[in-house]
């Protein structure tokens, strides 16, 4: 009886936090999620653990997107351990991806790529998760100037169905970065223009359009076109 009761209580607490987040009460949502995280029992049944795993993911995400990366990492690592103990392979994939993202923020590319590889091994049938990881790996290898591996992961990313706007944006944006790395500046500029227009037309978060515009002025600068460089630099500011 205890397992069923605890599982129900945990699910209710998670739902209460989600409800608070949906109505814009982030503070109350974080309180509920953290209460649930504190209830995590590493010896509990998978049914009791499911909501605790989700709570760790939500708290980690909130800290990540607010720039508190160390706090985020702590929750992701604890969620990873819970997922491992419960046998939740899909959650393992998500946590490995997110931990890889944190290492990427700190430019620890060796660690980020290792975590992404682990994430790929646990994606299962989740093609969206696999796509995101391949996109991240493509971007990382481009930053490392490893064009061959960047192209390899672009090919892998294109194998997965992409039916959501941010995924479409990232496919083209990462390819524009790769073209820049290959000094294909005209093609890179054309694709950055496309991604900026796509982000605007699909009402994506402004950070996506700004990233494309940043890519434009850097590509124009590399191509020696100072007038266009200053034009797009001013747009980004």
């Amino acid at each position: 009886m205890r397992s069923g009761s605890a599982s129900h209580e945990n699910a209710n607490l998670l739902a209460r936090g989600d409800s608070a987040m949906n109505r814009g009460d982030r503070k109350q949502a974080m309180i509920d999620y953290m209460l649930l995280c504190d209830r995590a029992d590493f010896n509990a049944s998978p049914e009791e653990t499911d909501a605790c795993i989700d709570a760790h993911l939500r708290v980690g995400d909130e800290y990540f997107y607010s720039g508190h990366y160390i706090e985020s990492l702590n929750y992701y690592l604890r969620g990873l351990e819970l997922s491992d103990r419960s046998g939740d392979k899909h959650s393992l994939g998500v946590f490995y991806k997110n931990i890889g993202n944190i290492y990427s923020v700190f430019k620890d590319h060796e660690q980020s790529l290792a975590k992404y590889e682990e994430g790929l091994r646990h994606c299962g049938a989740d093609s969206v998760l696999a796509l995101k990881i391949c996109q991240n790996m493509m971007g990382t290898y481009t930053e490392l100037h490893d064009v061959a591996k960047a192209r390899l992961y672009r090919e892998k990313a294109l194998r997965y169905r992409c039916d959501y706007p941010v995924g479409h944006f990232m496919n083209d944006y990462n390819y524009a970065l790769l073209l820049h790395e290959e000094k294909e500046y005209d093609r890179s500029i054309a694709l950055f223009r496309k991604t900026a227009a796509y982000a605007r037309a699909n009402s994506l978060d402004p950070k996506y359009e700004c990233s494309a515009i940043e890519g434009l002025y850097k590509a124009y600068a590399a191509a020696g076109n100072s007038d266009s460089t200053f034009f797009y630099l001013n747009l980004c500011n």
Side-chain angles (χ1 to χ4, degrees):
M1 289 297 292
R2 178 190 172 279
S3 176
S5 174
S7 175
H8 183 70
E9 290 172 5
N10 289 352
N12 284 343
L13 190 53
L14 181 70
R16 193 173 77 185
D18 288 345
S19 177
M21 187 65 75
N22 289 336
R23 66 173 182 268
D25 191 347
R26 180 181 176 275
K27 181 178 179 180
Q28 183 59 54
M30 289 291 279
I31 289 172
D32 291 334
Y33 294 149
M34 287 179 171
L35 285 172
L36 185 48
C37 289
D38 287 342
R39 296 182 61 167
D41 181 352
F42 287 90
N43 296 313
S45 69
E47 291 77 15
E48 289 180 77
T49 306
D50 284 347
C52 295
I53 290 172
D54 289 341
H56 280 81
L57 181 61
R58 285 162 172 71
V59 173
D61 286 349
E62 282 298 306
Y63 276 132
F64 180 85
Y65 289 114
S66 61
H68 296 90
Y69 301 116
I70 300 303
E71 292 88 343
S72 177
L73 180 61
N74 288 335
Y75 278 93
Y76 287 154
L77 288 172
R78 187 175 163 97
L80 182 74
E81 185 178 357
L82 283 169
S83 300
D84 189 36
R85 287 176 177 265
S86 73
D88 187 343
K89 293 185 180 300
H90 177 263
S91 291
L92 279 172
V94 174
F95 281 114
Y96 274 124
K97 173 185 72 71
N98 291 358
I99 292 168
N101 290 345
I102 292 177
Y103 281 117
S104 182
V105 167
F106 291 117
K107 303 299 182 184
D108 188 341
H109 297 309
E110 182 179 353
Q111 282 289 342
S112 68
L113 288 168
K115 301 307 179 187
Y116 290 149
E117 287 283 7
E118 286 291 339
L120 272 180
R121 284 195 279 271
H122 293 87
C123 285
D126 189 342
S127 60
V128 173
L129 177 59
L131 170 65
K132 289 178 178 178
I133 294 174
C134 286
Q135 289 174 334
N136 289 352
M137 294 184 78
M138 177 188 173
T140 301
Y141 278 119
T142 299
E143 191 170 350
L144 289 171
H145 314 294
D146 191 335
V147 170
K149 286 188 177 178
R151 282 197 167 272
L152 172 65
Y153 281 97
R154 169 172 167 74
E155 291 171 5
K156 289 185 177 185
L158 292 176
R159 295 173 191 168
Y160 298 105
R161 181 179 176 183
C162 181
D163 54 5
Y164 66 107
V166 171
H168 280 292
F169 175 93
M170 291 307 300
N171 271 342
D172 284 345
Y173 175 75
N174 280 336
Y175 189 37
L177 290 174
L178 178 56
L179 290 170
H180 182 120
E181 179 64 25
E182 295 175 325
K183 297 182 171 53
E184 295 279 353
Y185 299 127
D186 288 344
R187 295 175 63 195
S188 177
I189 287 167
L191 199 49
F192 278 130
R193 285 180 180 274
K194 177 184 174 183
T195 55
Y198 182 87
R200 188 164 54 253
N202 287 273
S203 301
L204 300 186
D205 188 292
K207 68 183 180 183
Y208 293 103
E209 184 180 0
C210 189
S211 293
I213 291 172
E214 181 182 10
L216 271 170
Y217 79 70
K218 288 182 177 179
Y220 275 119
N225 188 330
S226 58
D227 288 343
S228 293
T229 299
F230 287 116
F231 174 79
Y232 285 104
L233 182 59
N234 288 331
L235 277 184
C236 203
N237 291 334

